[in-house]
Amino acid sequence: MPIKVLPADLAGKIAAGEVVERPASVVKELVENSLDAGASQITVEIQGGGIQQIRITDDGCGIPVDQVELAFQRHATSKLDSQEQLEAMSTLGFRGEALPSMAAVSNLILTTRPAEAEAGHTVHLEWGTFTHSGPQGAAVGTSVTVSDLFGNLPARRKFLRTISTETSRVQELVSRYALAYPQTRFQLAVDGKQQLLTSGSGSPKDALAAVYGADVAEQMLDVHGEDAESGYRVDGFISPPGLNRANRTHMTFFVNRRWIQSRMLSFALEEAYHGLLPERRFPLAALNLDIPYSQVDVNSHPSKREIRFHQEGKAFSTLQRAVRAVLVADSPVPQMRPPSPIPGQEAAAPSFFPRISFGGQSGRGPGSGGHAVPYPAQSQTFDPATPRPAAPALKVVGQLKLTYIVAEGPEGMFLVDQHAAHERVLFDRLRQDSPTKGSLSQPLLEPVTVELSPAQVDVLREHGGHLEDYGFAVEHFGDNSYLLRAVPAIFTSQDPGKSLLDVLDMVAFEGLLRQQEDVLAASIACHGAIRAGKSLTEGEMRALLEQLEAAENPHTCPHGRPTMIHFSSSHMEREFGRR
Ligand code: ADP
Ligand code: MG
């Protein structure tokens, strides 16, 4: 399609915004233009954090000579010409704003040559005004050089960070695109030194190795999943739980190969690692969701970094399920399979499932034995000194991978997931009858102000009463602001505001995922429960097992996942050839 200036009514429908914020945003727009142009090689060179100079060279389709100057007009684009198209955008760009915006705040040179042209053409602009336009020898493709960014706007330049920070933002950005486009050869040079080179082989593993090193690439797990009903697909890589980071920087999401930021997808990913990662540790991931173009609105945010899903729940569950399936398959828990049937012996299969009997105590309901064994409200320990009403049915053997409690019972060996088990115990405690409710709350010394998103406000409206029952005290403060005065006593987090936001998010997304008995209590229990990775003393483990034993349904956590896996004595005997 030739470049045209968008008609006013269509231009008016486009979420206008600041596309040029910093060097990395210039690089992003230019890389996206190169990808839209079908480039198989993209070279990015920056000097002085990109403030001094950015040059991007591609071997894409080029711009016809007679359209080069037009490309610098506002709302001039070759990628969009109708409202219908705007509702199902397949290209990364469509607003026709990037080139004019960056030309206005820099000295810019663009040289381009389409494959069918005899020669290239170049244009020079200084602070948005053409200073030169003419033929120029050039290879097929386009190169754009942006120098002295914000040189005419000292106030804007002041907002930039140090050269090394701006440089790392550019590096991060190019790396992310390199991961999403393994068939494109990306090269990044910083002050003349090559920092990144991908092969363009088309193999995602190669791109991963170029970005993260061979070691990490080797460990990463492949994800391929499809939701049969909606046709949503997810592909990419995730780290095994043992490979994790202190922040979310290495969680990269693409939707139809557009790099986006999404709290919802971050949450879906974290939810899939539920109970597998220590607190405040995050996986590495590069995941692309393929969904019909018509089911996402990419025009909802000026920087195109946030998009709107028409069906959030489907996007959430497609990603969460695909990742969870890979993690379960990779689980370090021994996959105890039934031995090949020995003639004359009954099939052993049922005993490998998380089914446990606590002898005469299994019928005990919460409310009798349950809350007689309270947790100390403020500390995450299971006080071994507190007298127990009953002797444990399970004997603690030890802790495995700081995640599982190994225990011996009358019927063999049990592996108990400490997070899932604690979740079940807290859930039951939250759901006890009202007399104990007051003790569930932990008032804050200073109320905390929190800003809620519309989705979070919805959850608050729907579950407001119950939030209070479980220990939260939240008051409306004005607009989207709320005052948080108390949190559930089981919380040990230093950041009560974040706890509330996390719980509201969890409820919103869990609610989308499945109908369950009490999604709010389950979310609070999950947030308050000890994580994998926490070292427990023998006394703590014993206390946890005793409390689990008192639960009405000790076999599953409130999300329905098993709390324990059973290895029966008879199975072990058979496996060791003793029987
Ligand atoms: P948009 O990408 O939203 O269309 P831009 O201002 O980024 O707007 O670019 C304007 C037009 O210039 C694009 O629509 C495209 O036709 C052309 N263009 C920009 N960069 C390139 C490139 N690297 N290769 C080929 N064409 C390009
Ligand atoms: Mg563009």
Side-chain angles (χ1 to χ4, degrees), residues 1-4 6 29-39 56-64 67-68 70-80 91-102 110-112 141-144 304:
M1 207 194 298
I3 301 180
K4 282 186 307 204
L6 293 174
E29 293 295 333
L30 293 176
V31 165
E32 289 191 349
N33 279 350
S34 298
L35 290 168
D36 280 345
I56 296 195
T57 311
D58 70 47
D59 62 351
C61 65
I63 307 175
Q67 293 177 28
V68 178
L70 189 54
F72 287 89
Q73 280 203 33
R74 217 160 262 285
H75 298 311
T77 179
S78 58
K79 303 172 192 174
L80 175 66
T91 51
L92 298 168
F94 55 86
R95 292 177 173 148
E97 283 196 304
L99 289 181
S101 307
M102 60 184 78
L110 181 146
T111 305
T112 186
T142 303
S143 104
V144 180
K304 298 178 285 186

Side-chain angles (χ1 to χ4, degrees), residues 270-416:
E270 289 168 38
E271 162 73 4
Y273 280 81
H274 179 94
L276 297 173
L277 286 178
E279 195 158 14
R280 283 187 292 281
R281 299 296 295 183
F282 301 92
L284 289 85
L287 293 169
N288 178 58
L289 258 178
D290 265 317
I291 69 187
Y293 290 119
S294 59
Q295 299 209 6
V296 275
D297 180 5
V298 293
N299 185 31
S300 63
H301 193 265
S303 75
K304 298 178 285 186
R305 286 287 296 285
E306 284 170 34
I307 61 173
R308 261 198 29 234
F309 295 91
H310 292 201
Q311 294 179 293
E312 273 206 324
K314 287 217 174 103
F316 180 90
S317 60
T318 305
L319 190 136
Q320 193 260 0
R321 286 188 189 139
V323 172
R324 186 77 193 176
V326 170
L327 291 172
V328 167
D330 180 61
S331 165
V333 176
Q335 296 290 304
M336 295 294 280
R337 292 185 202 301
S340 35
I342 300 167
Q345 288 182 350
E346 99 277 14
S351 64
F352 307 128
F353 290 98
R355 202 156 289 146
I356 180 175
S357 151
F358 285 106
Q361 295 146 11
S362 62
R364 195 201 303 158
S368 57
H371 73 263
V373 211
Y375 283 110
Q378 308 288 336
S379 77
Q380 196 75 281
T381 57
F382 310 94
D383 185 2
T386 312
R388 304 293 161 198
L394 291 180
K395 196 171 121 245
V396 172
V397 176
Q399 195 184 15
L400 191 69
K401 297 198 89 160
L402 299 181
T403 302
Y404 308 104
I405 300 170
V406 185
E408 186 188 345
E411 289 300 315
M413 184 178 88
F414 295 85
L415 272 184
V416 178

Side-chain angles (χ1 to χ4, degrees), residues 279 376 378-382 422 426 490 492 528-530 534 536 540:
E279 195 158 14
Q378 308 288 336
S379 77
Q380 196 75 281
T381 57
F382 310 94
H422 195 198
L426 293 182
I490 56 173
T492 53
I530 45 156
K534 181 164 168 36
L536 300 178
E540 288 170 342

